[in-house]
Amino acid sequence: QQQVKQSPQSLIVQKGGISIINCAYENTAFDYFPWYQQFPGKGPALLIAIRPDVSEKKEGRFTISFNKSAKQFSLHIMDSQPGDSATYFCAASIEYGGSQGNLIFGKGTKLSVKP
Amino acid sequence: GAGVSQSPSNKVTEKGKDVELRCDPISGHTALYWYRQSLGQGLEFLIYFQGNSAPDKSGLPSDRFSAERTGGSVSTLTIQRTQQEDSAVYLCASSEVGGADEQFFGPGTRLTVL
């Protein structure tokens, strides 16, 4: 059972455009939703994260939108740049209640930004 | 400071052999995680350490997989009698105390089982 579903698998965007990646989760106990960015040959690195008490979080060109009732969250990359070309993973975990915080990942979206 | 390091970066082995993968977490981080990244499967959680204890081993795919952590620092993931389906990138991450603390990932060990 896949607890975090991510789409699309791949995405091609022109430089300056908006990249949008969507994720849906099933477990309502999840209370921490990070996005990770991974470049080839490297480990994933935290990009931005949100908790369900807010509906949106923005850091520079990156924005997470969160819809608790729909159990969905998305990453928006504004003014996409060729340097943003990477694989993006959404994830979810349980922060409280003694949980250790192991991350449940989506299957990833390979983003290519064309110059 | 130094990030999470893993060794070896690449490992090619023959089916049936045992392999050991090493992770050096960020100094002072008490939480350590192992994940496996297979083509098309994303990242799967394997095991979590808090200090030297492993309160959650639920992601280990079979009893051929085991891990230990010593001195609250270095961790070793051991795969016995490797199978071709074990081929993947094995990633280690550490965080300061666990929970929702940021997890810092190492570069991974690419394991190929022939």
Side-chain angles (χ1 to χ4, degrees):
Chain A
Q1 182 185 15
Q2 188 183 352
Q3 294 197 59
V4 179
K5 295 183 179 180
Q6 183 172 346
S7 63
Q9 278 188 305
S10 62
L11 182 60
I12 299 174
V13 173
Q14 291 295 318
K15 179 182 175 181
I18 302 173
S19 304
I20 302 175
I21 305 170
N22 300 299
C23 284
Y25 63 97
E26 298 171 3
N27 187 348
T28 55
F30 289 143
D31 56 10
Y32 176 67
F33 302 90
W35 285 87
Y36 279 79
Q37 180 189 55
Q38 185 178 31
F39 293 103
K42 305 289 186 183
L46 180 66
L47 187 63
I48 186 173
I50 197 168
R51 289 178 171 79
D53 53 340
V54 296
S55 60
E56 185 175 283
K57 183 175 181 180
K58 183 176 181 180
E59 289 184 1
R61 296 184 294 109
F62 302 91
T63 300
I64 300 179
S65 297
F66 185 82
N67 186 329
K68 187 174 182 178
S69 60
K71 295 189 288 185
Q72 295 175 346
F73 58 112
S74 60
L75 175 69
H76 295 232
I77 306 174
M78 311 300 287
D79 186 26
S80 298
Q81 299 297 312
D84 297 331
S85 298
T87 300
Y88 292 82
F89 293 93
C90 63
S93 72
I94 301 171
E95 178 183 9
Y96 296 109
S99 172
Q100 60 269 20
N102 56 288
L103 295 166
I104 307 300
F105 284 91
K107 292 194 175 184
T109 296
K110 186 173 182 179
L111 172 65
S112 296
V113 181
K114 300 299 184 184
Chain B
V4 178
S5 60
Q6 293 185 245
S7 60
S9 56
N10 281 284
K11 176 72 176 178
V12 180
T13 190
E14 294 180 346
K15 177 182 173 181
K17 296 286 179 92
D18 297 352
V19 296
E20 283 190 354
L21 313 179
R22 177 187 169 107
C23 171
D24 284 84
I26 293 172
S27 177
H29 280 193
T30 63
L32 186 148
Y33 308 80
W34 283 97
Y35 295 88
R36 179 169 70 174
Q37 186 170 23
S38 306
L39 193 62
Q41 293 300 315
L43 293 96
E44 307 169 80
F45 165 76
L46 296 178
I47 187 170
Y48 157 72
F49 286 93
Q50 182 57 250
N52 292 336
S53 301
D56 189 350
K57 308 178 183 179
S58 63
L60 294 178
S62 76
D63 58 8
R64 296 186 295 105
F65 288 72
S66 63
E68 65 174 11
R69 189 178 185 194
T70 56
S73 182
V74 171
S75 177
T76 303
L77 177 69
T78 301
I79 309 173
Q80 296 179 310
R81 305 181 302 281
T82 52
Q83 303 296 311
Q84 289 183 331
E85 61 263 28
D86 299 334
S87 295
V89 176
Y90 290 82
L91 290 158
C92 173
S94 71
S95 72
E96 202 164 329
V97 295
D101 278 354
E102 179 178 355
Q103 293 184 27
F104 294 85
F105 282 80
T109 293
R110 180 175 296 278
L111 175 66
T112 303
V113 182
L114 302 176

